Amino acid sequence: MNSTIIIITAVFLSTALLVNAAFPQILNLERSIPPTHQMKLSQLRLRDRLRHGRLLLHSRLNGVVDFPLDGTYDPFIVGLYYTKLQLGTPPRDFYVQIDSGSDVLWVSCNSCNGCPTTTGLHISLNFFDPGSSSTSSLISCSDQRCSLGAETAESVCSEQNSQCSYTFQYGDGSGTKGYYVSDLLRFDTISGTTVFSNNTAPIVFGCSTVQTGELVKSDRAVDGIIGFGPQEFSVISQLASQGLTPKMFSHCLRGSGGGTMVLGKIIEPNIVYTPLVPDQPHYNVNLLSISVNGQILPISSSLFQTTSNQGTIVDSGTTLAYLPPAAYDPFVNAIMSSASQSVRSYPAKGTQCFLTSSSVTDVFPQVTFNFAQGATLVLSPVDYLVQQGSVGGTAMWCMGFVKNMVQDITILGDIVLKDRIFVYDLAGQQIGWANYDCSMQVNVSATINTGKSQFVNAGQISNNSSPQNIHVNLMIRGNNRQLARGFL
């Protein structure tokens, strides 16, 4: 082996000197294999397999990356949306909540203190063990990738072991601590009607060692959270930076349960777009006014302007919707004034509810949110009311909008996002939506570096829980513990 290296070096140097006399006369070659040659054959095979995977990945990623989801928006069932990921070598399954209001992917680790071991979601919970994955490596404080975590203002460094760590505190009072690792994320892509399985890409994610609050409740427990936020540490940003996916994702959440979520752009001619507010940690948009039954409410537009403690955020990790007090009170009053006289007001435990024996679409007004560049989001009554049982045989509907008593922030959660296509275009700094029957087929465009688009007819591919057959038609379920994760 040594003689081979010497010959190659000599040929390279002689050629270089002929081309350019100023070229350095000595080139230092660094060994990737230890001088003792004590590297196991299995390790060499793994190195070659990872290298070949990098070479082949770009030729295979010509389609759409999809995540199979489960959940529903209904806060009285689950109120959260989750997906199954495969991490490590050999790969293991982890169920994580999807959340566009945060950035980091983290999962429970084998050394976790207080992490749930069972769940009422009829899934098996797992614990990630960095030591049992042959492709796993720890992220040190000196690693450039550790500085990306600082964007979330949650990264910390241990003076004892120089390990890049994190601490997250969520709006519902729950929290998690842990450290960052790098390992392979495994995923499928779809091109036309063909599914390409077992694609891999290295990503950085959190290894949770401590969990508290709502995260440890076993009735709705999952293995972790995957953040789809706009910062560089999110999975979407990490994959896009490697040229593997476009820097955008889309979802279409069906109100009755189920839906679609893909890394790419769902194509629909009626989508309207509004700009994202630049340089924000969340998906902030410019809300200008709110109309009820065609009448603009007397709310100052300055209340919706983005500052450090106010603005309007689109968040798939929030089940309901939130308005600041100065907007909530005129909003509810206008709805009550415009509702049919057959509707009875029924306050329940601080929540404004109503009793009606009629269809809510017949007795409640239409609501319109007006955004920058003329984009409008029209809400029917089922987009701002939630049915909560009955009283004396009469259906009780309660406001799905909540008064935000902590900050003057407007949050548009799943009750508003359901039954619509939503496109989060990070590259174009815009977000778009359109009313849509999410039980129907969708076409998806995934424009990567080639400038070409692949279109996926998601409705032609049936959902299958097999790891070898993960498709675009995705199922969803929800949970009210995440009513305002990360904001309140």
Side-chain angles (χ1 to χ4, degrees):
M1 180 178 288
N2 290 338
S3 61
T4 303
I5 294 177
I6 292 173
I7 292 173
I8 293 174
T9 304
V11 173
F12 179 82
L13 287 176
S14 61
T15 304
L17 291 172
L18 288 173
V19 173
N20 188 346
F23 200 86
Q25 298 184 7
I26 298 177
L27 295 178
N28 295 322
L29 299 180
E30 298 292 337
R31 291 181 180 268
S32 60
I33 300 176
T36 60
H37 307 292
Q38 298 300 313
M39 183 172 280
K40 295 180 179 180
L41 182 60
S42 60
Q43 292 176 290
L44 294 173
R45 288 174 177 169
L46 175 62
R47 288 163 54 89
D48 287 342
R49 186 165 67 249
L50 292 176
R51 170 61 178 164
H52 295 163
R54 288 193 295 269
L55 292 174
L56 295 175
L57 190 57
H58 283 279
S59 65
R60 296 179 66 183
L61 284 189
N62 294 320
V64 175
V65 177
D66 78 283
F67 291 93
L69 303 181
D70 201 0
T72 179
Y73 89 99
D74 193 333
F76 303 108
I77 299 178
V78 182
L80 65 81
Y81 299 78
Y82 58 91
T83 186
K84 183 176 73 173
L85 301 179
Q86 289 192 322
L87 298 169
T89 305
R92 296 198 68 185
D93 295 340
F94 298 91
Y95 293 90
V96 291
Q97 180 196 350
I98 63 168
D99 180 16
S100 63
S102 63
D103 295 282
V104 175
L105 163 64
W106 63 263
V107 295
S108 300
C109 275
N110 60 328
S111 58
C112 188
N113 179 24
C115 292
T117 57
T118 60
T119 178
L121 297 179
H122 307 292
I123 57 176
S124 297
L125 299 183
N126 284 318
F127 292 85
F128 183 78
D129 181 5
S132 66
S133 174
S134 60
T135 50
S136 175
S137 61
L138 301 180
I139 303 297
S140 67
C141 292
S142 59
D143 194 308
Q144 184 179 5
R145 291 170 294 183
C146 185
S147 62
L148 292 178
E151 293 181 359
T152 66
E154 312 289 359
S155 289
V156 293
C157 276
S158 171
E159 297 180 357
Q160 297 179 345
N161 54 20
S162 187
Q163 192 166 278
C164 187
S165 305
Y166 65 86
T167 299
F168 297 137
Q169 192 69 36
Y170 295 107
D172 59 4
S174 60
T176 178
K177 297 180 181 180
Y179 55 92
Y180 288 114
V181 298
S182 175
D183 210 333
L184 294 181
L185 168 68
R186 300 174 186 272
F187 52 91
D188 292 353
T189 61
I190 301 174
S191 180
T193 58
T194 303
V195 178
F196 297 95
S197 301
N198 296 324
N199 298 293
T200 63
I203 62 167
V204 175
F205 58 94
C207 197
S208 175
T209 58
V210 176
Q211 293 175 28
T212 60
E214 296 288 327
L215 292 173
V216 302
K217 292 187 176 180
S218 60
D219 57 338
R220 305 176 180 95
V222 288
D223 292 315
I225 293 176
I226 179 171
F228 278 93
Q231 301 299 314
E232 295 304 313
F233 229 34
S234 68
V235 170
I236 180 66
S237 294
Q238 289 191 59
L239 294 179
S241 68
Q242 299 177 52
L244 305 181
T245 66
K247 200 169 184 180
M248 68 175 65
F249 65 97
S250 309
H251 59 64
C252 192
L253 309 179
R254 194 168 60 191
S256 59
T260 299
M261 183 172 183
V262 294
L263 302 189
K265 178 182 180 181
I266 295 179
I267 303 298
E268 213 287 320
N270 296 321
I271 293 179
V272 295
Y273 285 92
T274 191
L276 288 168
V277 179
D279 303 320
Q280 297 299 312
H282 306 296
Y283 293 108
N284 286 71
V285 290
N286 291 305
L287 175 61
L288 304 179
S289 63
I290 302 175
S291 302
V292 174
N293 210 21
Q295 300 296 314
I296 294 180
L297 301 182
I299 304 172
S300 173
S301 59
S302 62
L303 181 64
F304 303 123
Q305 292 178 357
T306 300
T307 65
S308 60
N309 63 349
Q310 68 177 46
T312 302
I313 296 169
V314 178
D315 176 33
S316 66
T318 295
T319 304
L320 302 178
Y322 290 75
L323 287 172
Y328 178 84
D329 291 335
F331 177 73
V332 174
N333 290 337
I335 289 175
M336 294 177 63
S337 299
S338 301
S340 170
Q341 293 183 354
S342 65
V343 175
R344 287 187 290 158
S345 176
Y346 190 87
K349 297 182 179 180
T351 300
Q352 179 59 57
C353 298
F354 308 93
L355 299 179
T356 179
S357 56
S358 303
S359 170
V360 290
T361 57
D362 296 332
V363 294
F364 282 93
Q366 190 178 81
V367 171
T368 303
F369 281 64
N370 304 299
F371 295 89
Q373 290 191 352
T376 60
L377 181 62
V378 180
L379 307 183
S380 67
V382 293
D383 297 325
Y384 62 81
L385 295 173
V386 178
Q387 187 171 6
Q388 191 174 358
S390 61
V391 176
T394 302
M396 180 171 68
W397 292 78
C398 299
M399 289 299 303
F401 276 70
V402 181
K403 185 184 296 188
N404 190 342
M405 299 301 296
V406 180
Q407 295 175 304
D408 286 337
I409 292 179
T410 298
I411 306 173
L412 303 179
D414 295 331
I415 189 173
V416 173
L417 308 185
K418 64 177 174 60
D419 296 319
R420 291 178 173 86
I421 291 170
F422 266 81
V423 178
Y424 303 74
D425 182 0
L426 283 73
Q429 282 295 287
Q430 60 181 354
I431 189 167
W433 57 84
N435 291 345
Y436 199 78
D437 181 353
C438 295
S439 64
M440 296 179 61
Q441 303 167 355
V442 295
N443 286 329
V444 182
S445 170
T447 302
I448 312 178
N449 294 331
T450 62
K452 298 180 180 179
S453 296
Q454 293 288 344
F455 295 92
V456 176
N457 197 336
Q460 293 181 350
I461 306 177
S462 60
N463 187 38
N464 191 313
S465 59
S466 169
Q468 301 299 321
N469 195 24
I470 302 175
H471 301 316
V472 171
N473 264 353
L474 313 173
M475 297 300 297
I476 301 173
R477 218 166 23 236
N479 171 346
N480 63 355
R481 85 169 189 209
Q482 304 295 342
L483 296 185
R485 176 173 294 279
F487 304 109
L488 304 181

